[in-house]
Amino acid sequence: MAQMTFLQAINQTLDQQMEKDASVVVFGEDAGFEGGVFRVTAGLQKKYGEDRVFDTPIAEAAIIGSAVGMAINGLKPVAEIQFSGFMFPGYNQIAMHLARFRNRSRGKYNLPVVIRMPMGGGVRALEHHSESLETLFAHIPGLKLVVPSTPYDAKGLLTAAIKDPDPVIFFEPKKIYRAGKQEVPEEEYTVEIGKAKIVQKGDDLTIVSWGAVLRDLQKALANYKTDKSIELIDLRTIAPMDSAAVIDSVKKTGRLLVISEQVQSFNVASELMARVNEEAFEYLEAPPQRLNGFDITVPLPKGEHHHAIDEKKMHHAITKILGYKI
Amino acid sequence: MSIVDRFDPLKKKMFQVLDQEGNIVSKDDVPEIDDKTLLEMYRVMQLARIADIKALQYQRQGRMLTFAPVQGQEAAQIGPMAALKKTDWLSPAFREMAAFLYHGVTLEQTYLYWYGNEFGSRFDDGVHVLPVNVPIGSQISHAAGLAYAAKIQKKDQVALTYIGDGGTSHGEFHEGMNFAAVYNAPMITIVQNNQYAISTPRHKQTKSETIAQKAIAYGIPGVQVDGNDVLAMYAVVKEARERAIKGEGPTLIEAYTYRLGPHTTSDDPTIYRKDEEVEEWKKKDPIIRFRNYLINKKLWTDKKEEKLVQELTDLVGETFKKVEQSQAPTVDEVFDYTYETLPPYLAKQKEAYKAFLKESEEN
Ligand SMILES: Cc1ncc(C[n+]2csc(CCOP(=O)(O)OP(=O)(O)O)c2C)c(N)n1
C-alpha cells in the first residue's frame, strides 16, 4: 500500500496496465514527452517508448477516430482529451462511431477504448475549462461513463475501464487531482463499472453525488447539525447508472437529493429522479430534489461562485428536503 | 512582382524587410508608412510588451488569473493590424493581445478578460474584433463567414484571423480555409508559427516543411514571413488585403516567430525547451529590431524611449488597479445574457437564487 493522490493513482494504473498488457497505448495532446498538461501521464513515454506513448497533433476528431481504428486492429487505446470542453471536435467520432461499432457490426467489432478527460469546475480556469458534460455522454447508447471521487476508485475504475470490452469515458475531476492522499494498493484490482458506493449509511435522506462535488459534500455533511441520519451514495458510474442502489436506499429513507455541478435541465439527476419516480413512488415522503448549477453558461472565474455548489447551498438544500412534510 | 509570387513556400523562402539588427535588407519592399503610424505601431508594441510582463507578475502574485503571454510575437500582430482598415474584422485565437490593442480593444478590457470577467469580451461599438476564441481552429470559419458576408454585401472589408502552428493540425483549420478559398472570400489567415503548441514542437504537428505551403492545396497564395519583422508583416498583409478586396480570395501567411514566455501562466516551458534556444530568439526580439530601424530613420531616441516606457508602465499600473476594483459579476449578469428574454424556468432559477442569497445574508 502506498499513499497516493488521485493523479498519482491514475498514473500508477496506466503504468501498471502498460506493463502487463503490451497492447495498451497512451496518447493525446502533450501527453507524451511532457506527460500531459496536468502530468497525469508523466514518465510513461520514457518507460514505454514513443510508439506506445505519444504526443498527437491538436486534432480531437483524429485522436478518437484513430483510437477506433487502433482498437479494431488489436490495440487498447487510452486516449487523453486535454480538457473535456475540447472533446466537441471529437464528439463526432464518439457519437457516430465509438459508441456504435459493436451494434453496427452485429458484435464483430467491439472497441476496448478508454477516453480520459479532466472535467469540472472550481479551478478558476478560462472558458471551456470548467464544464460538467456528463449528459452528453450518458445520453449516447453504447458508451460507459465513470467519474471517480477517490484515488482508490480512480485506480479500480480505470483498471476496469481498460479491461472493459466496450468504450469507457473516464472523467477526472481536475479539482481533486492533488487534493489529499489515500492508501492505494500497489497490486492490480478493479472497481466494478456500474456499481454505486454507499459512503455513509443513514435512514432519513438519500443524497447522491459523484466526483469533486462529493468530496465537498462530505465536508459539508460533517459541518451539518441534525438529528436526522443521512445516507450518502457515490454514484461513481454515470452510465450504466446504478439506479437500483439508489432506489433501494430511497425505499428506506423516503427522500432523495441529487447534488452535482452540472447545469440543471436534462442532467443526470433528471434521469435518476425519473427512475426513482417509476420504481419507488409509493415510498417517497418528499418530492425528489436536485441541487446543481443553473441553466447558464459556466461563468468565468469572477462569477463562477454563483454557479458553484458550495456548502451553504448544500446545507440549504438538505434542510429544505428534510423539512418537507406531505 | 508581388511578394507571394517571389517567395515560394515550397522553396522555404522567407520574406524579410529588416534584418535582425533592424537594417533594411530589401529596399524595394520597405512599405510606405507615414511617421505617425510608424510611431503608433511602436507605441502599441511596447504597450503590449509591458502589459504582458506586468500581467505575468500580477498572476504570480495571485492577482490575475491564467493568462496567455504574447511576448516575442508583437511584430506578427502589430504589422498586420496596421495594414488593415479599422473596419476590417479580426477573428482571433487567444494570444493576440497586441493585435487587440492596435485594433481598438482597450487595455482595460483585455485585462478584465484575463481577470476572469466576461465584460472583458464586450468591446466598444465600431471595434471590429471578436472575443478571445479558446477552442483551437474554430475561429477560422468565423473569419470565412465574416469575409463571405463582406463580399456579397460589397463592403470594403476583409477578415483577418490568427491561429497557431499547432492549430493548423485541426480539422477546423482545414474546413475554414477551404470554405473561404472556394468562395474567394476576402480572408487573411496568419499562422503564428511560434515553434510550440504548449510542449509539442512544430515538427510533431505537421510533416509539411513550411506551414505556408499548405496554401497550395487550397489553391491560394501562401508565404512564409519573418514574423519578428514588423515591416515585412505589414507589407505582406497590405498586399493580401488588396488581393482580397479585388475578389482574388484568401491568403495564408506563416509568421515565423517565437513565444518567449510560457504557453500560459500554468505552463513550465523548462520541461520542453532549452534556455539557450530562448536566448537565441531573444536576439531576434521584434521590438529591438523595430526600434533600431526607427533610430536609423531618426524617428526615435533613447530619451523618447525612456519617456514612453515610463508613460506606458504608469498606464498599465493604473489600468490594472481599475480592473482590480471592478465589480464582480452580479446574479443578473450571469443569467441575463443567456437569451434575449429569460424563459420562465430560468427566471425562476434566478429568483430562487436571489432569495437564497438574501436569506443566507440575513442568517
Ligand atoms: C479544440 C482544442 N483542443 C485543445 C485545446 C487546448 N489547447 C490550448 S492552447 C493549445 C496549444 C495551441 O498551440 P498553437 O496552436 O501552436 O498556438 P500557441 O498556443 O502556440 O499560440 C492547446 C492544445 C484547445 N484550446 N482547443
Side-chain angles (χ1 to χ4, degrees):
Chain A
M1 291 274 237
Q3 290 278 332
M4 278 183 217
T5 61
F6 192 90
L7 188 146
Q8 287 164 335
I10 296 168
N11 179 273
Q12 198 256 355
T13 308
L14 292 171
D15 190 353
Q16 187 168 63
Q17 292 307 311
M18 291 199 82
E19 177 138 36
K20 283 179 184 272
D21 183 347
S23 67
V24 175
V25 289
V26 167
F27 54 96
E29 293 156 16
D30 304 288
F33 181 79
E34 180 181 59
V37 292
F38 290 101
R39 313 285 181 271
V40 176
T41 54
L44 298 177
Q45 186 178 72
K46 221 170 182 178
K47 200 160 167 191
Y48 299 103
E50 287 187 40
D51 280 350
R52 291 183 64 199
V53 184
F54 55 99
D55 291 317
T56 67
I58 304 174
E60 289 78 12
I63 291 174
I64 314 244
S66 67
V68 169
M70 290 180 213
I72 289 171
N73 206 12
L75 296 179
K76 284 188 189 151
V78 183
E80 173 178 300
I81 295 293
Q82 201 160 73
F83 289 88
S84 68
F86 302 131
M87 67 83 188
F88 286 99
Y91 197 58
N92 185 46
Q93 286 288 346
I94 294 175
M96 300 291 113
H97 299 298
L98 187 66
R100 294 173 157 255
F101 246 92
R102 176 188 285 280
N103 181 67
R104 181 185 296 151
S105 67
R106 296 285 91 172
K108 183 164 166 65
Y109 298 118
N110 64 297
L111 300 180
V113 173
V114 179
I115 304 185
R116 300 178 30 248
M117 39 184 113
M119 56 73 65
V123 296
R124 298 157 64 77
L126 297 174
E127 197 184 355
H128 309 299
H129 292 72
S130 303
E131 282 70 14
S132 290
L133 303 172
E134 288 88 332
T135 298
L136 300 186
F137 300 104
H139 197 65
I140 300 179
L143 286 183
K144 296 181 179 180
L145 170 63
V146 300
V147 196
S149 71
T150 65
Y152 182 91
D153 283 352
K155 176 167 179 178
L157 283 168
L158 183 56
T159 304
I162 293 171
K163 292 177 180 296
D164 200 288
D166 286 310
V168 180
I169 309 292
F170 190 84
F171 267 13
E172 300 173 3
K174 61 180 98 67
K175 187 181 163 186
I176 56 172
Y177 264 146
R178 295 182 166 84
K181 293 189 174 189
Q182 188 186 22
E183 291 284 334
V184 176
E186 299 281 354
E187 64 276 10
E188 181 185 285
Y189 64 90
T190 57
V191 167
E192 193 183 341
I193 293 175
K195 278 273 169 286
K197 181 173 76 181
I198 297 174
V199 180
Q200 173 184 311
K201 285 208 164 296
D203 298 316
D204 303 311
L205 166 65
T206 303
I207 304 184
V208 178
S209 190
W210 59 92
V213 178
L214 185 114
R215 295 263 202 111
D216 292 339
L217 178 57
Q218 283 174 293
K219 282 179 223 147
L221 286 176
N223 296 331
Y224 187 75
K225 304 242 167 345
T226 177
D227 52 1
K228 299 277 169 53
S229 78
I230 294 172
E231 182 137 304
L232 176 59
I233 297 180
D234 182 351
L235 204 53
R236 300 196 293 193
T237 298
I238 304 296
M241 188 190 272
D242 189 1
S243 36
V246 176
I247 288 163
D248 282 350
S249 174
V250 171
K251 282 182 177 169
K252 176 175 66 173
T253 64
R255 288 164 208 260
L256 171 68
L257 172 63
V258 187
I259 304 185
S260 80
E261 54 180 322
Q262 287 198 274
V263 299
Q264 176 157 302
S265 293
F266 311 99
N267 69 12
V268 173
S270 319
E271 178 60 25
L272 200 49
M273 287 154 71
R275 293 193 197 182
V276 165
N277 278 338
E278 283 162 359
E279 294 185 40
F281 185 74
E282 59 272 34
Y283 297 87
L284 289 173
E285 292 165 29
Q289 297 283 308
R290 56 187 160 170
L291 169 64
N292 33 239
F294 306 112
D295 286 317
I296 59 174
T297 302
V298 178
L300 292 182
K302 287 293 159 194
E304 199 186 352
H305 60 283
H306 290 302
H307 195 259
I309 309 305
D310 60 14
E311 185 161 314
K312 268 191 183 165
K313 285 184 186 170
M314 290 175 179
H315 286 177
H316 182 260
I318 295 168
T319 303
K320 191 172 149 205
I321 192 164
L322 281 175
Y324 187 92
K325 288 193 185 68
I326 291 178
Chain B
M1 242 212 304
S2 66
I3 300 166
V4 293
D5 286 332
R6 281 182 292 141
F7 290 85
D8 183 345
L10 286 177
K11 298 197 174 119
K12 278 205 86 174
K13 277 172 76 183
M14 180 150 70
F15 176 59
Q16 207 182 34
V17 174
L18 298 177
D19 69 11
Q20 205 163 308
E21 276 72 46
N23 302 309
I24 296 167
V25 292
S26 163
K27 239 182 150 154
D28 296 341
D29 283 318
V30 177
E32 272 179 47
I33 308 176
D34 62 50
D35 292 352
K36 198 172 147 235
T37 306
L38 284 172
L39 292 174
E40 177 61 5
M41 288 164 71
Y42 185 69
R43 193 187 76 86
V44 182
M45 273 172 99
Q46 277 288 19
L47 173 60
R49 174 65 60 94
I50 292 166
D52 198 89
I53 293 170
K54 293 301 275 183
L56 256 160
Q57 288 172 4
Y58 296 139
Q59 200 278 341
R60 299 292 183 232
Q61 295 162 1
R63 296 160 71 191
M64 190 92 144
L65 297 162
T66 313
F67 164 71
V70 66
Q71 215 183 124
Q73 299 177 216
E74 295 88 349
Q77 298 181 16
I78 298 297
M81 289 302 119
L84 292 187
K85 291 197 171 181
K86 287 291 174 211
T87 46
D88 289 335
W89 282 102
L90 169 62
S91 175
F94 48 83
R95 200 185 297 289
E96 278 76 56
M97 177 161 76
F100 273 34
L101 294 173
Y102 200 92
H103 213 51
V105 176
T106 67
L107 178 64
E108 189 176 341
Q109 287 158 346
T110 310
Y111 262 10
L112 195 60
Y113 173 80
W114 297 109
Y115 195 66
N117 187 320
E118 285 81 353
F119 279 103
S121 291
R122 186 183 171 126
F123 308 140
D124 299 346
D125 291 344
V127 172
H128 288 70
V129 180
L130 299 187
V132 163
N133 185 311
V134 174
I136 306 272
S138 53
Q139 70 276 22
I140 307 289
S141 47
H142 301 166
L146 292 166
Y148 184 84
K151 183 184 163 183
I152 70 163
Q153 296 174 94
K154 302 200 168 43
K155 296 187 184 185
D156 174 21
Q157 188 184 52
V158 304
L160 186 145
T161 184
Y162 276 101
I163 190 164
D165 43 303
T168 64
S169 303
H170 213 275
E172 287 240 47
F173 171 76
H174 168 72
E175 292 188 27
M177 291 302 296
N178 185 59
F179 195 100
V182 163
Y183 300 108
N184 276 326
M187 177 170 95
I188 301 169
T189 300
I190 300 181
V191 179
Q192 295 188 86
N193 174 4
N194 64 8
Q195 314 302 331
Y196 291 92
I198 311 185
S199 72
T200 306
R202 138 78 177 87
H203 69 84
K204 283 194 188 169
Q205 294 289 346
T206 173
K207 219 182 157 188
S208 306
E209 247 197 278
T210 66
I211 286 171
Q213 78 190 52
K214 290 176 188 286
I216 293 163
Y218 301 117
I220 63 171
V223 58
Q224 193 180 50
V225 182
D226 183 337
N228 287 12
D229 177 351
V230 73
L231 296 186
M233 287 303 299
Y234 179 99
V236 80
V237 170
K238 193 92 188 161
E239 191 186 284
R241 189 183 189 284
E242 280 161 19
R243 258 197 316 280
I245 291 294
K246 274 194 281 180
E248 293 173 19
T251 302
L252 175 60
I253 298 163
E254 174 183 358
Y256 198 81
T257 182
Y258 196 78
R259 151 165 73 70
L260 290 173
H263 168 73
T264 65
T265 42
S266 320
D267 175 46
D268 175 9
T270 62
I271 297 176
Y272 55 83
R273 67 184 195 188
K274 293 202 168 62
D275 284 347
E276 299 91 82
E277 184 184 295
V278 182
E279 289 311 313
E280 269 316 297
W281 274 95
K282 277 190 182 157
K283 293 182 195 153
K284 301 180 195 169
D285 191 318
I287 295 189
I288 298 173
R289 189 185 303 200
F290 191 36
R291 179 162 65 227
N292 287 342
Y293 172 75
L294 295 177
I295 289 170
N296 292 343
K297 228 174 133 61
K298 307 265 180 286
L299 281 175
W300 204 245
T301 60
D302 286 351
K303 225 172 134 192
K304 284 184 182 167
E305 175 78 11
E306 209 178 299
K307 190 165 159 264
L308 179 71
V309 169
Q310 190 54 55
E311 205 180 286
L312 296 177
T313 307
D314 292 347
L315 173 72
V316 167
E318 282 157 26
T319 306
F320 186 63
K321 245 188 240 154
K322 264 205 228 165
V323 166
E324 275 193 312
Q325 285 158 7
S326 64
Q327 193 203 29
T330 63
V331 174
D332 287 327
E333 283 165 2
V334 300
F335 278 88
D336 289 358
Y337 296 99
T338 313
Y339 298 99
E340 167 96 31
T341 28
L342 274 194
Y345 75 92
L346 197 48
K348 220 167 128 184
Q349 286 181 19
K350 182 170 96 171
E351 289 320 312
Y353 180 46
K354 281 186 174 175
F356 159 77
L357 287 177
K358 198 155 168 252
E359 196 187 307
S360 29
E361 224 170 76
E362 283 159 8
N363 291 337

